[in-house]
Amino acid sequence: NAGVTQTPKFQVLKTGQSMTLQCAQDMNHEYMSWYRQDPGMGLRLIHYSVGAGITDQGEVPNGYNVSRSTTEDFPLRLLSAAPSQTSVYFCASNRQADPNTEAFFGQGTRLTVV
Amino acid sequence: LAKTTQPISMDSYEGQEVNITCSHNNIATNDYITWYQQFPSQGPRFIIQGYKTKVTNEVASLFIPADRKSSTLSLPRVSLSDTAVYYCLVPITGGFKTIFGAGTRLFVKA
């Protein structure tokens, strides 16, 4: 049982480049979300999805796009990378779109923008 | 808007009991209090959840008073491997979002 899988684990981008961080879950979870974590800080919610075809903004959505075409996948797109987007990105899934349910996290993607 | 407040950091020694208190004055009637643990370079993982009184599992205990405006995570006899950040979460009222605060950084010393 893989749980939540994120790829890649590490990535270096140049300013202005675009890329997609992949997130997949095999638990048939309804709710998926993306967070970023800067050094010494807590997690900040970027975008979330309550089901296939439905996405919404979190606390820090600017510079990021998401889509949810299937239940399993929830990719995060950086449109034009900036040094301020250097961070560790975590994807998570919950069985239901209910914050009282347990969130399962991936291992993270460490992104550096130079 | 349910917001949580917890200490930024705590130090302890191996073998001691550690109690981390979280305040959540505006918790909604139907909401639970959930605690997560995060080790360096890893995603957070669920450790315990409760609604009222006391909950205990193999990792921790969670104490919630009758007014539910605070909760205390208790880690019995901590070891060096319990060094981590601990997050207390309460749902945002009426929403689907799971919002993390800054957490409590626990450092266990030998």
Side-chain angles (χ1 to χ4, degrees):
Chain A
N1 189 0
V4 179
T5 302
Q6 291 184 235
T7 55
K9 287 188 170 51
F10 301 94
Q11 182 71 48
V12 178
L13 287 179
K14 293 182 179 178
T15 297
Q17 285 185 316
S18 62
M19 81 158 294
T20 299
L21 283 76
Q22 301 292 342
C23 175
Q25 52 92 8
D26 62 358
M27 299 173 282
N28 200 31
H29 281 181
E30 187 175 82
Y31 179 92
M32 296 185 74
S33 53
W34 276 101
Y35 295 85
R36 61 175 288 174
Q37 185 171 38
D38 300 325
M41 307 280 286
L43 289 85
R44 291 185 291 170
L45 181 65
I46 304 172
H47 285 286
Y48 65 97
S49 168
V50 300
I54 306 169
T55 64
D56 206 347
Q57 297 181 347
E59 303 171 276
V60 288
N62 292 339
Y64 307 94
N65 273 356
V66 292
S67 60
R68 183 100 179 268
S69 55
T70 67
T71 299
E72 295 78 20
D73 299 301
F74 191 44
L76 178 72
R77 295 184 189 83
L78 280 71
L79 309 172
S80 177
S84 60
Q85 294 178 304
T86 294
S87 190
V88 180
Y89 291 83
F90 289 100
C91 178
S93 72
N94 297 52
R95 179 171 49 85
Q96 293 178 332
D98 177 351
N100 288 306
T101 58
E102 179 181 347
F104 294 82
F105 283 82
Q107 286 301 300
T109 295
R110 187 174 296 272
L111 175 69
T112 302
V113 183
V114 298
Chain B
L1 186 68
K3 179 181 165 61
T4 60
T5 303
Q6 52 183 123
I8 293 173
S9 65
M10 297 180 70
D11 287 345
S12 183
Y13 288 92
E14 281 190 294
Q16 289 188 331
E17 179 184 76
V18 171
N19 295 309
I20 306 173
T21 297
C22 177
S23 67
H24 28 78
N25 292 320
N26 298 319
I27 187 170
T29 303
N30 296 327
D31 284 337
Y32 285 72
I33 300 128
T34 310
W35 285 80
Y36 287 83
Q37 175 190 56
Q38 185 181 26
F39 296 116
S41 302
Q42 294 186 24
R45 66 166 189 154
F46 170 95
I47 49 174
I48 198 166
Q49 183 182 68
Y51 182 78
K52 62 180 179 180
T53 62
K54 178 183 173 183
V55 179
T56 297
N57 62 23
E58 64 278 4
V59 176
S61 293
L62 181 59
F63 298 92
I64 305 166
D67 66 6
R68 303 197 335 117
K69 294 185 176 183
S70 67
S71 58
T72 298
L73 175 73
S74 181
L75 304 172
R77 294 195 298 278
V78 294
S79 64
L80 296 177
S81 63
D82 291 315
T83 293
V85 179
Y86 293 83
Y87 298 94
C88 163
L89 268 70
V90 173
I92 300 294
T93 304
F96 303 110
K97 305 177 197 180
T98 299
I99 301 295
F100 283 76
T104 297
R105 194 169 296 273
L106 173 66
F107 185 67
V108 180
K109 297 179 269 192

